[in-house]
Amino acid sequence: MIRGWEELRADLLARIRAREWPPGGLVPGEEQLAHDYGVARATVNRALQALAEAGVVERRKRAGTRVAALPVRKARLDIPVIRREVEARGQVYSHVVLAQQVVALPAGAAARMGLAAGSPAVWLETLHRADGQPFAHETRWLNLAALPDPVPDFGTVSANEWLVANLPFVSGDMSFAAEAAGPAEARALEIAEGTPLMVIERLTQGLSGPITFVRLCHPPGHRVVLSL
Amino acid sequence: MIRGWEELRADLLARIRAREWPPGGLVPGEEQLAHDYGVARATVNRALQALAEAGVVERRKRAGTRVAALPVRKARLDIPVIRREVEARGQVYSHVVLAQQVVALPAGAAARMGLAAGSPAVWLETLHRADGQPFAHETRWLNLAALPDPVPDFGTVSANEWLVANLPFVSGDMSFAAEAAGPAEARALEIAEGTPLMVIERLTQGLSGPITFVRLCHPPGHRVVLSL
DNA sequence: CGGGTTAATATGTATATACATAATTACCGT
DNA sequence: ACGGTAATTATGTATATACATATTAACCCG
């Protein structure tokens, strides 16, 4: 006896997992399911909405509800503030600004950020530490037009954290790669050149344009966990 | 003039981004917003539901709706089927099974998978190629109890792909790290030992227990892209 | 048989109403 | 001032009804 949309969602999910309706196959319509389960059509709609958002089914107006042909397999990452990440490991966080200057955005970075070459930007290089050991080497370009005037003091609160509190992003992209440590990273992270690094790059956009392009390098032993 | 829940959601999001209600602050209640916008309370509820699911606000019965104290910053990864990943790059996919045998699960893998040591499992080693070049070296443990009998032929369709179509997971975890290539990976991927590898590990659970624990190693140049 | 047009229909949404439930507030007693 | 209890209330949900919209199916004509 179904008590509400959540139970209905779970029951439908179980039936889908049991292959009652195969991938790509048509699930009975809302009216039919409402009749079968003895609930309102709106309740069925609510349950299917949740399944659609989970990627289990695909729905289109008038076209019916189909089991996703290939189950969408999504993993989620909660992007951590580095200080919180370090402290969550029970370690003491600290950071030091290695370099900071207002510059004209070079062509490569400009293209990456979708800004004109020569746009005023802040170039920032930061080392984040955990218990005094190098945790991450961060280099970033900040779109000067997105920052308040005067530019905040990133020696006090790292840009990594300041941006979260003051310039939330609304879109962007992020990527991971394994790369060999170059001279700058090796020096900052106190490791040998060529050591494998987890390199995380991220571009974020605010409501009025690009905010920042950041590159984070973590030494070996760093693992990024996503949930399924 | 708000036309529906989607426009309302966008308007509320813009107001939140503009700090009309600060992080942690209380958003006006549904009845108030319904009155202010001239829509039904259910419409407000629908818009706020979407914002809550996006992590922009937090809602509890009777407690009101608050702007998330720290904007949740989530990134999403669509987990690709390797063949599709290769083909999406315009390359020709192929794979070869380097090793496959039914074994007793050793203690380490058993612990990782939440199974008893000695449980029957399939050990599988696969090399995935793109245009004939090594693309990924995959080693995996498959819980024999989760597989049909007889065990499928992974030489024809890789386990990576077979599982998607036949054993969808319902939960699990996934992680990324940069590691130096060991002898087995170096040999399979035709690179020098010590070369940085993007190492992806994933454990998936089905409705009736653990399915597989897989470790994927990609040579340099492989970039995993997430969307924000 | 194929293509174009029209009608039908399944999902998508908005609203009003009623009820459920968890959290907050108010009140009272010690 | 603090703790406990009861009342209030803001979110959560279910239902019925009406309307919107995109897609599918039916029909007609060349």
Side-chain angles (χ1 to χ4, degrees):
Chain A
M1 176 58 196
I2 293 292
R3 304 285 180 86
W5 76 266
E6 178 56 50
E7 284 190 27
L8 178 54
R9 183 200 62 80
D11 197 66
L12 290 172
L13 178 61
R15 292 170 71 179
I16 287 167
R17 295 287 181 233
R19 298 291 163 119
E20 183 164 330
W21 307 293
L26 207 50
V27 173
E30 294 185 356
E31 293 275 14
Q32 181 67 43
L33 288 173
H35 180 264
D36 294 347
Y37 280 101
V39 297
R41 192 197 126 207
T43 305
V44 174
N45 179 281
R46 181 68 182 86
L48 289 174
Q49 177 203 323
L51 288 176
E53 275 165 17
V56 176
V57 296
E58 290 166 347
R59 289 152 67 66
R60 275 187 303 170
K61 241 174 209 177
R62 175 64 179 80
T65 297
R66 289 186 183 275
V67 177
L70 257 189
V72 173
R73 305 165 352 123
K74 295 180 191 289
R76 284 177 299 107
L77 170 69
D78 289 320
I79 305 170
V81 172
I82 294 177
R83 178 179 58 81
R84 288 189 172 208
E85 190 177 7
V86 169
E87 290 175 355
R89 297 151 59 117
Q91 296 176 303
V92 175
Y93 170 81
S94 61
H95 80 284
V96 58
V97 173
L98 302 179
Q100 172 170 348
Q101 58 192 138
V102 177
V103 297
L105 210 46
R112 182 71 182 84
M113 292 176 78
L115 289 171
S119 302
V122 175
W123 161 254
L124 193 60
E125 187 180 2
T126 307
L127 180 68
H128 303 270
R129 293 179 186 275
D131 283 346
Q133 297 301 306
F135 180 75
H137 178 244
E138 170 192 306
T139 54
R140 95 171 44 233
W141 298 99
L142 286 152
N143 177 10
L144 192 61
L147 297 178
D149 189 4
V151 172
D153 170 24
F154 296 125
T156 304
V157 177
S158 79
N160 179 271
E161 185 158 6
W162 185 91
L163 287 174
V164 172
N166 295 284
L167 272 185
F169 62 81
V170 297
S171 68
D173 65 61
M174 181 175 190
S175 66
F176 298 104
E179 293 177 17
E185 292 124 359
R187 188 165 50 248
L189 295 171
E190 298 166 18
I191 52 175
E193 283 191 43
T195 302
L197 299 179
M198 167 61 73
V199 179
I200 304 171
E201 288 183 355
R202 192 162 67 233
L203 170 71
T204 59
Q205 310 264 4
L207 281 174
S208 45
I211 300 173
T212 188
F213 174 64
V214 59
R215 175 185 162 95
L216 272 174
C217 299
H218 289 283
H222 186 76
R223 185 165 287 275
V224 178
V225 179
L226 286 74
S227 53
L228 298 179
Chain B
M1 177 57 195
I2 292 292
R3 302 286 180 87
W5 76 266
E6 177 59 50
E7 282 189 30
L8 179 54
R9 184 200 62 80
D11 197 67
L12 289 172
L13 179 61
R15 291 170 72 179
I16 286 166
R17 295 285 181 235
R19 298 292 163 114
E20 184 165 329
W21 307 292
L26 206 50
V27 173
E30 294 185 354
E31 295 275 13
Q32 181 66 44
L33 288 174
H35 180 262
D36 294 347
Y37 280 100
V39 297
R41 191 197 125 207
T43 304
V44 174
N45 180 281
R46 182 67 183 85
L48 288 174
Q49 178 204 324
L51 288 176
E53 276 165 19
V56 175
V57 296
E58 291 165 347
R59 291 154 64 67
R60 274 185 304 166
K61 238 173 214 180
R62 173 67 177 79
T65 297
R66 289 184 184 276
V67 177
L70 253 190
V72 173
R73 306 168 347 127
K74 295 180 192 286
R76 285 176 298 107
L77 171 68
D78 288 320
I79 307 170
V81 172
I82 294 175
R83 176 178 61 82
R84 287 189 175 209
E85 190 177 5
V86 168
E87 290 175 355
R89 296 149 62 117
Q91 296 177 304
V92 176
Y93 170 81
S94 61
H95 79 285
V96 57
V97 172
L98 302 178
Q100 174 169 348
Q101 58 193 137
V102 176
V103 297
L105 208 49
R112 182 70 182 85
M113 290 176 81
L115 289 171
S119 302
V122 174
W123 162 254
L124 192 60
E125 187 180 3
T126 307
L127 180 68
H128 302 270
R129 293 179 188 274
D131 282 346
Q133 296 301 304
F135 179 76
H137 177 245
E138 170 192 304
T139 53
R140 96 169 46 231
W141 299 97
L142 287 152
N143 177 12
L144 192 62
L147 297 178
D149 188 5
V151 172
D153 171 24
F154 295 124
T156 304
V157 177
S158 80
N160 178 272
E161 185 158 5
W162 186 89
L163 287 173
V164 173
N166 296 283
L167 271 185
F169 63 80
V170 296
S171 67
D173 64 61
M174 181 174 193
S175 67
F176 294 82
E179 292 177 18
E185 291 122 0
R187 188 166 51 248
L189 296 170
E190 296 165 20
I191 52 175
E193 281 189 46
T195 302
L197 299 179
M198 168 61 74
V199 179
I200 304 171
E201 289 183 354
R202 192 161 69 231
L203 170 70
T204 58
Q205 310 264 3
L207 281 173
S208 45
I211 299 174
T212 189
F213 174 63
V214 59
R215 176 185 162 94
L216 269 175
C217 299
H218 289 282
H222 186 76
R223 184 164 289 272
V224 177
V225 179
L226 290 77
S227 54
L228 296 181

